[in-house]
Amino acid sequence: GYGLDGEFSLIEGSTTAMLAELDRATKNEEPIVVTLWRPHWAYNAFPVRDLEDPEGHLGEAEILKVLGREGFKADHAEVAGWIANFSLTDAELAELGDVVINQYGTGQEEEAIEQWLSDPDNRALADSWMV
């Protein structure tokens, strides 16, 4: 859409392959363009930035929503309040995802959350959801 045909090659592949190539290029200080989405932990782990998209080729932002069954709020008012108060910026979610996925990994989610909550700013944020 921006007349870049011939200047760049689009290589289709998995997210894992894309992130491996991003890691390789970053370590070698080579330029690279990847098709990341927000929120994604890679924004915390790599020195990436969004390119401008004045013509809107990437589309509109998406929204994450939490759904519950009818009557959940009546049955679990406190938890429903926590969920209603829950909010993370893209940067906060990227940091959290980086800790959970990269620093700890599958099976160590509880330890990862404890690590994330050990930061006073993150603890204050989580505490703000619990009112």
Side-chain angles (χ1 to χ4, degrees), residues 31-86:
I32 187 170
V33 177
V34 294
T35 54
L36 283 175
W37 55 91
R38 286 186 180 271
H40 196 286
W41 60 260
Y43 280 92
N44 192 66
F46 297 99
V48 296
R49 64 178 173 84
D50 293 331
L51 297 176
E52 293 180 18
D53 183 27
E55 295 177 19
H57 292 291
L58 292 176
E60 297 296 320
E62 296 178 1
I63 297 172
L64 300 175
K65 295 187 178 197
V66 178
L67 303 173
R69 66 167 172 78
E70 189 172 328
F72 181 86
K73 185 175 180 179
D75 293 344
H76 306 283
E78 184 177 25
V79 175
W82 298 343
I83 293 169
N85 292 334
F86 179 82

Side-chain angles (χ1 to χ4, degrees), residues 92-105:
E92 291 163 344
L93 188 54
E95 177 191 355
L96 176 58
D98 188 27
V99 171
V100 172
I101 294 168
N102 295 315
Q103 295 177 30
Y104 284 84

Side-chain angles (χ1 to χ4, degrees), residues 8-22:
F8 294 95
S9 298
L10 176 62
I11 301 170
E12 294 185 36
S14 68
T15 300
T16 303
M18 175 188 66
L19 293 170
E21 191 62 20
L22 176 59

